[in-house]
Amino acid sequence: MKMRKLKFFLKGAGICVGSILFCFVMGLVVGVIYPRIPQIAESFQRNTHANDAKSETDMVKELSDLNVALKAGDTTGEVYVIKKMDPSVVDLKIKKQAQDFFNATYESDEDGTGIIFYQTYDKVYIVTNHHVVESAEAVAASINGGDYVNATLVGKDTNSNLAVLSISKQDLPKTTAQQIIVPNFGNSDDVSIGDPVIAIGNSFGDGNAATKGIVSAINKKVRIQNRYLNVIQTDAAINPGYNGGPLVNQYGDIIGINTGRISSDESIEGTGYSISSNDAKKVIEQIMNNEGTPFLGIHMSNITEEMAAHYNVPQLGVFVQDVVAGSSAADAGILPEDIITGFNGKPIFSAEQLIEEVKNCVVSETVEMKVIRHAKEPLTIKVALKANKDTSF
């Protein structure tokens, strides 16, 4: 009798617990999930429409990139991008004359990087920074870790800090020549702040290495190597030897050519700069077509308060520090310490502005420049712009 009562009690307790659990679940559904069903449905619908908006080509590309990255054991695609770029990035050895503390001359070797951008049946063409090969006695190039071979200067543009080199395929081992890949130069106008990027270069002369970061700024005007450039700024480290190498996006498209960095031990982390791919493509095309680019031929700086007071002139225009022999400016009679205040009817306020005005001209065009000399009335000087076709480093 007692056992029958115990079974009856346990059966009743089980029914009570089950009822309580059922009521709790139903309360959760009615009170929490049911009110959110419209939101969940809306979110699912929104995500579905977003995926529908992608083109079939975009989805295929994303899947292809992801599959290659996964096979390489890299879920982010960074290994894929770096491996994709390896056959296109060139290590450079530059021989220059240098002077020691006692003004004794000696030969020095410097390191830099280049990017293959074009090839024919017998030549490979490489773009790099002009300052990397400037004043070089000889330049040698190594592709994909192969032996170094002699490179020849095709042309240069000092204002944009770019130079084009070529090497003969006959000088390359057959396997190296077969491995050459011409990379894709992307559209730098599509770059946005925050985009992930990878900088690749001949790090400290030890071969290709890579650093990653994001795009910090676009269309930034800075002075690097005594040149005023329009650049992409990145926090990816541009280490020694990286200059002339590529800045690439997550798909391995080149969006910039590394050209310098700023660093500080105290308050500023390393900040790298790259010439945008769209600016570089224009200059490369001019050099390859042997058109040359308009070249004024002066070293200049902006007018400071001290300079304005010393020369008794307004604080506008640019100060001519030096004039390149045989240049357009030299032929026109522009002299060191002249102050250029006007160009083709426009007032000139900075060196950056003057450089842009010259870039917008064409070779052989004659321009009028307003020049203050010895704090006297401005002179009007006509300058016939020559092409920068010098093929010496």
Side-chain angles (χ1 to χ4, degrees):
M1 185 74 177
K2 287 183 180 180
M3 182 63 70
R4 190 177 299 173
K5 285 183 179 181
L6 179 61
K7 288 181 178 178
F8 178 78
F9 173 77
L10 291 174
K11 185 177 182 181
I15 292 171
C16 289
V17 171
S19 299
I20 292 170
L21 287 172
F22 176 77
C23 292
F24 174 77
V25 171
M26 290 303 295
L28 180 65
V29 170
V30 173
V32 178
I33 298 176
Y34 181 78
R36 294 193 61 196
I37 287 176
Q39 296 176 17
I40 295 169
E42 182 184 355
S43 175
F44 176 78
Q45 195 172 27
R46 188 165 56 244
N47 290 336
T48 302
H49 287 324
N51 286 332
D52 287 343
K54 285 185 179 181
S55 70
E56 185 178 350
T57 302
D58 289 338
M59 295 180 74
V60 168
K61 178 173 173 51
E62 287 179 7
L63 288 171
S64 175
D65 288 349
L66 181 60
N67 286 335
V68 174
L70 289 173
K71 286 178 182 177
D74 175 38
T75 56
T76 65
E78 291 166 2
V79 168
Y80 157 67
V81 168
I82 295 166
K83 287 185 175 180
K84 177 183 177 181
M85 288 303 302
D86 261 349
S88 310
V89 181
V90 181
D91 297 339
L92 299 177
K93 290 283 186 190
I94 305 100
K95 290 190 179 297
K96 295 184 178 182
Q97 292 288 331
Q99 289 185 325
D100 62 17
F101 181 77
F102 301 101
N103 292 325
T105 300
Y106 66 96
E107 194 174 77
S108 70
D109 287 334
E110 297 182 6
D111 301 297
T113 307
I115 309 166
I116 294 171
F117 69 89
Y118 182 62
Q119 64 172 328
T120 63
Y121 75 95
D122 64 339
K123 287 188 177 181
V124 180
Y125 291 89
I126 301 159
V127 62
T128 186
N129 288 156
H130 176 253
H131 82 260
V132 168
V133 296
E134 190 173 16
S135 303
E137 291 191 332
V139 176
S142 167
I143 298 176
N144 216 13
D147 293 339
Y148 281 89
V149 298
N150 290 331
T152 302
L153 182 68
V154 175
K156 62 186 179 183
D157 181 48
T158 56
N159 287 335
S160 63
N161 195 23
L162 293 173
V164 171
L165 312 174
S166 71
I167 56 177
S168 172
K169 285 187 176 179
Q170 289 184 344
D171 295 336
L172 298 172
K174 188 176 181 180
T175 53
T176 301
Q178 291 172 342
Q179 291 170 350
I180 291 170
I181 295 177
V182 177
N184 181 53
F185 277 68
N187 183 357
S188 54
D189 289 343
D190 292 340
V191 173
S192 299
I193 295 173
D195 285 352
V197 290
I198 296 174
I200 302 173
N202 180 12
S203 182
F204 300 94
D206 295 329
N208 289 345
T211 54
K212 68 176 183 176
I214 62 168
V215 172
S216 308
I218 55 177
N219 295 322
K220 185 161 186 176
K221 290 180 170 56
V222 295
R223 183 173 183 176
I224 302 173
Q225 300 289 334
N226 293 319
R227 298 168 176 88
Y228 292 90
L229 302 173
N230 185 38
V231 296
I232 296 170
Q233 180 179 320
T234 177
D235 65 351
I238 308 296
N239 293 322
Y242 273 44
N243 287 348
L247 185 73
V248 298
N249 62 18
Q250 69 260 38
Y251 304 111
D253 296 330
I254 297 171
I255 59 166
I257 297 176
N258 302 325
T259 194
R261 68 191 290 266
I262 293 177
S263 63
S264 169
D265 293 335
E266 298 178 0
S267 59
I268 302 175
E269 292 294 329
T271 300
Y273 298 116
S274 295
I275 302 164
S276 72
S277 57
N278 286 1
D279 285 348
K281 283 187 282 189
K282 293 176 187 175
V283 175
I284 291 169
E285 185 177 357
Q286 289 174 323
I287 293 173
M288 289 296 289
N289 289 335
N290 200 29
E291 295 173 354
T293 52
F295 180 56
L296 187 56
I298 62 172
H299 299 289
M300 57 187 163
S301 63
N302 292 325
I303 304 290
T304 63
E305 285 187 29
E306 293 77 11
M307 294 169 97
H310 177 77
Y311 291 99
N312 192 27
V313 294
Q315 194 176 344
L316 58 86
V318 296
F319 180 78
V320 178
Q321 298 172 315
D322 195 14
V323 179
V324 177
S327 66
S328 309
D331 289 352
I334 292 176
L335 302 175
E337 298 193 0
D338 280 352
I339 296 172
I340 299 171
T341 60
F343 187 94
N344 269 355
K346 296 180 182 179
I348 295 296
F349 297 98
S350 67
E352 298 95 322
Q353 183 195 355
L354 180 57
I355 288 171
E356 287 303 313
E357 294 294 339
V358 173
K359 283 182 180 178
N360 291 332
C361 295
V362 295
V363 174
S364 299
E365 182 178 350
T366 298
V367 298
E368 287 190 350
M369 297 174 62
K370 294 290 184 183
V371 174
I372 294 177
R373 183 174 294 165
H374 306 313
K376 295 179 180 178
E377 288 296 316
L379 305 170
T380 299
I381 298 179
K382 291 186 177 182
V383 182
L385 293 173
K386 292 181 174 182
N388 184 14
K389 290 187 177 180
D390 185 5
T391 54
S392 62
F393 288 113

